[in-house]
Amino acid sequence: MIYRTLLAFGTLFLLALSATSSAIELNFDIEKSPNDKREYASFTLENKLDVLIISDKEADKGAASLDIKVGSSHDPIEFPGLAHFLEHMLFLGTHKYPEPDAYQKFISEHGGGHNAYTSLEHTNYFFDVSAEYLEPALDRFSQQFTAPLFNADYVQREVNAVHSEYSSKIQDDGRRYLESFKAILNPDHPYKKFAVGNLETLVDQPDITLREALLEFYDMQYTANRMKLTVLGKEDLETLSSWVEEKFSSIANKNLPEHKTTTPFFSGGFLPAKIQVKSIKDTRSISLSFPVPTSRPYINTQPLGYIANLIGHEGKGSLLSSLKKKQLVDTLSAGPQFDTDNQGMFIISMSLTETGLKQQDEVINAVFAYINLLKQNDLNEMYFTEQKQLSEIAFKFQEKVPALSYVRSLSSALHEFSAQDILSAPYKLNKFDKELISDYLHLLTPDNLLVSVKAKDLETDQETQWFKAPYSVKSLSVSLVNQLKKAEASKDLALPEPNNFIPSNTELSKAENNPIPVLLSAPKGMELWHATDTEFGTPKSTFFVSIRSPHAVDTVEHLVMTQLLVSMLTDNLVEFSYPAYLAGLSYDLYKHLRGVTLKIAGYNDKQDVLLETILKKIKHSELRDERFENIKERLKRSLENEKERKPFQQAITAIQDDILSPSWNSEEKLVALEKISIEQLREFKNLFFSTVDTAVLSNGNVEQDKTEKMAKLVEKHILEPAKIQSVERASVLNLEGEEDWAKALDIDHPDSSMVFYMQGETKSYSERALYSLMSQAIGNDYYAQLRTEKQLGYIVFATPYPLLEVPGIAFIVQSPSASTDQLFNETRTFLDAQVDRINSLSEEEFARYKKAVISRLEEKETNIGQRSNRYWSEIDKKVAKFDSKEQMINAIEAITIANFRSFYTERVKKKGSNLIMVSKHQTSQDDAITQFQKLLNKKESAWLSLSNFDK
């Protein structure tokens, strides 16, 4: 029901303008990490807006986020999706800046980004921008909350955009399950509402138009006392506070109460129950959900965290290990979700094997056997102490995160924590409360259980309203409930052992830092790089080793076997590596175009122990028959599910598959996978490691002697038994010819999509710079023209699209209403029309575009992981001076406006270096392919004649 507000929107706007500012008192008493050099202050404006400001003198980006505790659960019944629609409309012009793209354009032209999201209980708006432009960006940002236009001309256009967003997600299994879950909630629970909105829900009603409802919702829900603001800049706290006071004091405060959800999730007598939801992708999962009282008041005790740590453990004797040995599940996680300040859910989620899907009751029984084991054993304080110790270390050596992510998370957290504790509260475990943990543990009972099963082939008898998800719901049988109450733990279940990976040495190295990695002497077949780097003040380092084999991807069969090998080796390492992961020391083993890479990252204290065990297992661990069948089947489903991704995502992947070499598409991989046996994989493992070369990088809180010792382990386990052979990098096909290339994909999705890829001519830095500048100069206008003005779809963007070092740009659209012909023609028309605009650019505009690109390149790394990743990328590209960013900046600075005008005009007119990838519904009669030179069966002679890109 809609309630009419007493204040008209225009009156409210005038009142807001007349608000007067007053002196504010800054609170500097905010507990922060000893490793945090930023300054903080909090205050409350006269309109009761709570604010946290952060001064970071080293910041290259300014950022802000405003979070209001109003979300989709507060939508009026007559207008489902209204909160989300409001989030969209708020961006489209204000009284001071009336152009619909004024805010977006300013942010983009000054090196930043912006977005917003609407959740069940919150809406969060955020941006970042080059640090020197924070003040004018804040002015534009604040106007959205003090004087938005909600222009009537854009109402229907933005409804179309919301509908496009809905349409793009209509086959998303996550959305489909969530709607099924909402369908069984208590009829009075606010979470039941349809959150997205579409053309059916966002329409005029007999007694009120959509725009009137929008203004009314804004007037009755958006109030300063429900908002929290976080601002980060390089200015001092006094300056930042004065900006905030000047720009945000005019937000009206209506003294509205905070929304409270007191309705229980489920109606009395509904549980225990089971819901089955049919998925589109071939996935299989089961979750056990238990409604529990909110745990938010117990942040310093974290009773649910204690329980989740034990149930979700993956080490020896864990529930996961037991279920994997029985070939029932592949993964398991546990933890609290959906906390409403009154009630939450404790959820145990598992991905099922084919056997597990058939034997669901056995899986559920095993979970309760472990829960009963916890109830029967004394709750050991050791597990709490370990979590406390790791939290203390994490807080002491807290790393920076990018400014945008930081302000976004803090503005939301201000609703939950006081400003004084907001930085430290999540890390403080002050009290082991055995009784409280036991109370929560004893709520995990069969009588308080919702079982949710998601799979492709399930029997269902109902369908959800908006996402058309087939589902069924029924009560759990009395016999199963009684069986679960008596579930007994098998002998292979045990509580975790003490964690030996908790770091004991967190001292920082006293060695001189290396400005860039240095190449050390190394055995034949190894390229060894080292850098001591303690700039970020954390006892962390990253160790990479790339094991490159000429057999890794030389055929499609070998590529698939490399992936299988990585998956099986990772599976073998779970029990051993999980305690290290809990202790802040993780590893990743992944396939690439020359072989596999092992990456170890985190606290450096025990990295060598983890490395040696992983290397031993990589070379010598047994590939077990029973795990092979599960992992092969899992890879098969993953490849088959690629055809269920969003159309634009499939189009992007198709471009990569077609012009990267070596590369094969998912269908080709599936054919190869079908023939592979465990015996073949064992033989391939020996073949893979028989001929290799390696590259190693050790960077961070590590000294050269330790790097050399760890490199010795690589030599011993990988190089010594092998023949050494250099492995060349992958290549990119050069899109030669006199006409555009094109390909159509048949995709079972109601939306059409197009990716227009323009390939560069050389790998030079000057060419890369021109394509980056092109994206900056026209990207915002492309979005405004095709999305806002033409209303072609929700997913519209232009982006630099380099493949390896070959520059390029891609124009990407997905539409629920337009044909692929129309998507291409609108893009082509746009590009042609931009020629005149580019030729009339002023020097000032051009300089602004260059500065925006440069500012993104100049963004400082915030932690050792980011820097290590950059170094590793440079090593792969053979940039021994580690100066790609500097060379790109120099190339951009060297571009003149005349150079750019000439480049743009010639590039837009040029054909033969363009690839248009379109996707259409299998039943569509539209055929954009007829416009272009025939492509793209990779076996056709025209395609086979293309050369590798070596310029």
Side-chain angles (χ1 to χ4, degrees):
M1 182 177 185
I2 291 285
Y3 293 93
R4 302 274 177 182
T5 181
L6 296 176
L7 285 173
F9 179 73
T11 305
L12 187 62
F13 169 58
L14 292 174
L15 287 176
L17 288 181
S18 66
T20 57
S21 61
S22 60
I24 55 174
E25 183 177 345
L26 299 185
N27 168 38
F28 302 100
D29 185 19
I30 297 173
E31 186 176 9
K32 64 178 185 176
S33 165
N35 195 43
D36 190 347
K37 304 301 186 289
R38 294 165 294 202
E39 296 178 348
Y40 296 81
S42 67
F43 56 93
T44 301
L45 292 176
E46 199 170 274
N47 61 4
K48 295 188 179 178
L49 171 65
D50 290 329
V51 183
L52 177 70
I53 52 175
I54 307 163
S55 173
D56 182 354
K57 292 179 173 57
E58 299 178 352
D60 46 33
K61 284 291 180 72
S65 171
L66 187 145
D67 188 285
I68 178 167
K69 202 167 183 183
V70 174
S72 58
S73 64
H74 309 118
D75 285 340
I77 294 172
E78 299 92 336
F79 292 96
L82 191 61
H84 179 221
F85 179 58
L86 170 56
E87 172 219 307
H88 277 243
M89 287 295 298
L90 210 62
F91 285 116
L92 299 178
T94 64
H95 283 269
K96 187 173 182 179
Y97 305 101
E99 291 301 316
D101 64 344
Y103 166 68
Q104 298 94 317
K105 194 169 185 178
F106 182 88
I107 296 295
S108 175
E109 289 182 352
H110 295 90
H114 70 92
N115 214 328
Y117 68 81
T118 304
S119 67
L120 291 166
E121 295 193 344
H122 293 256
T123 306
N124 194 299
Y125 302 85
F126 48 91
F127 75 88
D128 69 356
V129 70
S130 295
E132 61 267 38
Y133 296 102
L134 176 61
E135 191 272 338
L138 277 176
D139 194 52
R140 288 160 174 81
F141 184 65
S142 66
Q143 289 293 310
Q144 295 173 140
F145 309 102
T146 58
L149 286 178
F150 296 128
N151 194 320
D153 294 340
Y154 289 98
V155 168
Q156 191 55 48
R157 295 184 186 187
E158 210 56 31
V159 169
N160 292 337
V162 169
H163 182 78
S164 296
E165 183 177 356
Y166 158 73
S167 179
S168 73
K169 297 172 180 177
I170 201 165
Q171 292 185 248
D172 182 294
D173 279 327
R175 293 274 181 172
R176 290 159 62 86
Y177 168 72
L178 181 60
E179 187 178 26
S180 304
F181 173 75
K182 288 181 175 183
I184 64 172
L185 288 177
N186 188 322
D188 297 324
H189 203 285
Y191 283 12
K192 285 184 74 73
K193 297 174 182 177
F194 174 46
V196 183
N198 62 17
L199 288 173
E200 291 183 51
T201 68
L202 298 172
V203 294
D204 293 345
Q205 298 293 329
D207 61 336
I208 185 171
T209 67
L210 174 61
R211 184 171 183 269
E212 288 170 343
L214 177 72
L215 298 180
E216 195 162 274
F217 185 80
Y218 180 81
D219 283 350
M220 296 192 66
Q221 298 289 353
Y222 273 47
T223 172
N225 69 300
R226 286 178 176 169
M227 296 176 177
K228 309 292 181 183
L229 174 68
T230 304
V231 176
L232 183 152
K234 65 180 182 179
E235 292 77 13
D236 58 49
L237 294 173
E238 287 72 19
T239 300
L240 292 173
S241 64
S242 67
W243 288 351
V244 168
E245 184 177 21
E246 174 194 345
K247 301 176 192 306
F248 292 89
S249 292
S250 295
I251 299 177
N253 175 32
K254 301 146 196 174
N255 284 313
L256 297 175
E258 182 178 326
H259 288 292
K260 297 286 186 182
T261 300
T262 57
T263 307
F265 285 116
F266 302 107
S267 301
F270 177 77
L271 299 179
K274 179 179 183 179
I275 181 173
Q276 295 195 148
V277 184
K278 188 179 291 188
S279 62
I280 292 176
K281 290 184 178 180
D282 190 1
T283 58
R284 298 184 293 261
S285 65
I286 187 170
S287 61
L288 279 59
S289 303
F290 305 88
V292 296
T294 178
S295 62
R296 286 181 180 173
Y298 312 116
I299 184 67
N300 299 136
T301 303
Q302 295 189 20
L304 292 180
Y306 179 97
I307 297 169
N309 178 47
L310 296 177
I311 295 177
H313 207 277
E314 299 181 15
K316 185 178 179 181
S318 67
L319 174 60
L320 175 62
S321 290
S322 175
L323 290 167
K324 283 175 67 174
K325 287 173 185 174
K326 297 172 184 175
Q327 308 306 316
L328 297 174
V329 309
D330 286 318
T331 62
L332 183 150
S333 62
Q337 296 181 38
F338 299 116
D339 198 312
T340 68
D341 287 329
N342 176 63
Q343 192 179 40
M345 290 267 203
F346 186 84
I347 302 179
I348 304 165
S349 300
M350 293 158 280
S351 60
L352 295 171
T353 65
E354 196 168 1
T355 302
L357 183 63
K358 295 174 182 175
Q359 300 178 20
Q360 298 169 32
D361 289 357
E362 186 174 345
V363 174
I364 300 169
N365 192 79
V367 173
F368 275 96
Y370 196 82
I371 291 172
N372 292 339
L373 176 68
L374 297 181
K375 291 176 180 177
Q376 292 159 11
N377 281 269
D378 187 45
L379 296 173
N380 193 334
E381 190 171 357
M382 176 191 72
Y383 303 121
F384 178 86
T385 302
E386 286 184 347
Q387 288 179 292
K388 182 175 186 292
Q389 185 178 352
L390 290 168
S391 292
E392 288 172 348
I393 295 172
F395 183 66
K396 181 179 179 181
F397 298 107
Q398 192 178 56
E399 294 178 305
K400 271 188 178 182
V401 296
L404 186 65
S405 301
Y406 197 47
V407 296
R408 184 177 61 208
S409 62
L410 288 175
S411 65
S412 177
L414 277 170
H415 291 285
E416 192 170 343
F417 306 112
S418 68
Q420 180 178 346
D421 298 326
I422 192 169
L423 305 178
S424 61
Y427 297 90
K428 281 188 174 180
L429 287 172
N430 297 335
K431 180 185 178 185
F432 175 61
D433 192 331
K434 183 184 295 188
E435 183 177 347
L436 182 62
I437 296 170
S438 179
D439 288 344
Y440 274 101
L441 187 59
H442 281 81
L443 292 171
L444 310 188
T445 68
D447 293 317
N448 188 40
L449 171 65
L450 173 68
V451 177
S452 304
V453 180
K454 291 159 276 185
K456 191 168 187 177
D457 298 313
L458 294 174
E459 291 185 7
T460 60
D461 54 17
Q462 299 183 65
E463 186 178 76
T464 63
Q465 181 177 5
W466 302 111
F467 290 91
K468 306 302 179 187
Y471 75 99
S472 63
V473 60
K474 64 180 181 180
S475 298
L476 288 185
S477 67
V478 174
S479 60
L480 177 59
V481 170
N482 289 334
Q483 175 190 327
L484 298 177
K485 290 177 179 178
K486 301 172 184 176
E488 294 184 2
S490 56
K491 292 182 180 179
D492 61 344
L493 289 177
L495 297 179
E497 298 174 353
N499 193 339
N500 294 322
F501 278 101
I502 294 175
S504 52
N505 179 7
T506 56
E507 294 296 316
L508 297 184
S509 170
K510 301 296 193 295
E512 184 178 352
N513 280 5
N514 301 99
I516 60 172
V518 294
L519 186 63
L520 305 180
S521 60
K524 183 180 179 182
M526 180 185 293
E527 182 183 352
L528 177 59
W529 295 89
H530 163 81
T532 299
D533 186 348
T534 57
E535 178 185 336
F536 302 104
T538 62
K540 294 184 176 183
S541 63
T542 310
F543 186 88
F544 287 94
V545 54
S546 178
I547 306 170
R548 305 184 290 224
S549 169
H551 307 294
V553 294
D554 56 337
T555 68
V556 63
E557 291 80 12
H558 283 175
L559 179 147
V560 172
M561 283 195 273
T562 300
Q563 183 61 66
L564 281 171
L565 185 59
V566 166
S567 297
M568 290 204 69
L569 293 172
T570 301
D571 188 72
N572 284 346
L573 284 161
V574 169
E575 279 192 359
F576 169 77
S577 64
Y578 188 73
Y581 162 76
L582 290 179
L585 181 57
S586 63
Y587 89 96
D588 189 15
L589 186 67
Y590 58 90
K591 175 186 72 67
H592 55 77
L593 291 175
R594 288 198 275 180
V596 299
T597 288
L598 169 64
K599 175 185 178 182
I600 296 176
Y603 299 117
N604 60 279
D605 183 31
K606 296 171 182 175
Q607 283 196 10
D608 52 345
V609 177
L610 183 61
L611 174 66
E612 182 161 26
T613 300
I614 290 175
L615 291 174
K616 285 179 180 178
K617 287 185 177 288
I618 283 176
K619 281 298 296 290
H620 306 298
S621 65
E622 179 186 0
L623 302 181
R624 294 174 289 162
D625 293 50
E626 66 276 11
R627 291 305 297 159
F628 170 76
E629 292 302 328
N630 279 336
I631 289 169
K632 178 181 176 180
E633 193 269 343
R634 193 168 70 201
L635 178 56
K636 178 184 177 183
R637 285 188 290 122
S638 175
L639 291 170
E640 290 173 339
N641 286 335
E642 289 188 8
K643 68 180 182 294
E644 305 297 350
R645 292 183 303 153
K646 293 176 181 176
F648 85 94
Q649 294 171 330
Q650 294 189 56
I652 290 171
T653 299
I655 287 177
Q656 295 172 349
D657 287 342
D658 284 331
I659 67 176
L660 285 177
S661 180
S663 182
W664 293 270
N665 62 37
S666 55
E667 288 81 7
E668 293 167 318
K669 294 174 188 175
L670 279 166
V671 172
L673 177 65
E674 192 65 33
K675 304 171 186 176
I676 296 170
S677 66
I678 184 63
E679 291 77 15
Q680 289 174 303
L681 186 61
R682 288 171 179 146
E683 291 175 4
F684 174 73
K685 180 184 175 186
N686 293 331
L687 178 66
F688 181 98
F689 287 106
S690 67
T691 308
V692 298
D693 78 338
T694 61
V696 174
L697 167 67
S698 180
N699 178 56
N701 188 47
V702 58
E703 297 181 5
Q704 183 173 324
D705 61 339
K706 187 168 183 180
T707 293
E708 291 170 337
K709 289 176 183 176
M710 293 175 75
K712 284 283 187 186
L713 295 174
V714 177
E715 179 186 11
K716 175 183 176 182
H717 293 288
I718 304 299
L719 290 179
E720 283 183 355
K723 176 185 175 183
I724 305 303
Q725 179 180 326
S726 178
V727 181
E728 294 301 315
R729 299 181 74 212
S731 58
V732 176
L733 291 180
N734 189 357
L735 293 174
E736 302 160 317
E738 299 301 321
E739 297 294 331
D740 289 341
W741 298 86
K743 183 177 183 178
L745 306 172
D746 286 331
I747 294 176
D748 185 14
H749 193 285
D751 288 6
S752 60
S753 74
M754 182 218 64
V755 177
F756 184 178
Y757 165 65
M758 304 172 75
Q759 188 182 70
E761 291 186 351
T762 76
K763 294 181 180 180
S764 68
Y765 282 101
S766 59
E767 181 100 350
R768 296 186 223 175
L770 283 165
Y771 275 90
S772 294
L773 197 54
M774 179 180 177
S775 176
Q776 177 64 44
I778 68 176
N780 192 70
D781 285 352
Y782 182 67
Y783 174 89
Q785 176 75 11
L786 271 70
R787 184 188 181 280
T788 307
E789 296 297 330
K790 298 289 186 177
Q791 306 167 59
L792 294 182
Y794 172 72
I795 298 168
V796 178
F797 59 101
T799 180
Y801 197 71
L803 289 171
L804 301 181
E805 286 77 63
V806 178
I809 187 171
F811 300 88
I812 299 166
V813 195
Q814 180 173 317
S815 174
S817 56
S819 68
T820 52
D821 276 334
Q822 185 180 356
L823 298 181
F824 172 75
N825 290 333
E826 290 288 356
T827 297
R828 186 78 258 184
T829 299
F830 168 82
L831 291 172
D832 291 340
Q834 288 289 302
V835 171
D836 289 341
R837 192 183 76 83
I838 296 298
N839 285 331
S840 62
L841 278 180
S842 68
E843 289 283 359
E844 182 183 357
E845 288 174 304
F846 182 65
R848 194 160 61 236
Y849 292 145
K850 289 172 64 173
K851 189 170 184 179
V853 177
I854 290 171
S855 73
R856 292 189 181 97
L857 289 168
E858 288 179 335
E859 286 184 34
K860 297 172 185 173
E861 289 136 351
T862 59
N863 56 63
I864 197 65
Q866 287 182 353
R867 181 166 294 169
S868 297
N869 289 340
R870 175 171 64 85
Y871 286 162
W872 189 238
S873 175
E874 299 278 63
I875 288 168
D876 181 62
K877 293 183 290 189
K878 298 187 178 300
V879 183
K881 294 183 179 180
F882 299 89
D883 63 347
S884 286
K885 290 206 307 185
E886 290 77 9
Q887 292 199 57
M888 272 292 288
I889 290 169
N890 291 338
I892 291 165
E893 289 176 335
I895 298 173
T896 67
I897 194 168
N899 294 152
F900 183 64
R901 287 170 176 165
S902 174
F903 163 76
Y904 183 84
T905 302
E906 292 174 9
R907 185 62 190 87
V908 167
K909 291 179 179 178
K910 179 182 178 181
K911 293 188 177 182
S913 295
N914 302 329
L915 172 54
I916 298 94
M917 191 71 66
V918 297
S919 68
K920 54 179 184 171
H921 195 278
Q922 291 168 340
T923 60
S924 172
Q925 298 302 308
D926 171 54
D927 190 3
I929 280 301
T930 57
Q931 300 183 58
F932 314 114
Q933 175 176 324
K934 184 182 178 184
L935 174 76
L936 218 188
N937 184 326
K938 288 173 71 176
K939 298 180 178 63
E940 291 181 10
S941 58
W943 191 251
L944 290 171
S945 68
L946 294 182
S947 62
N948 286 337
F949 201 108
D950 56 5
K951 292 177 279 187

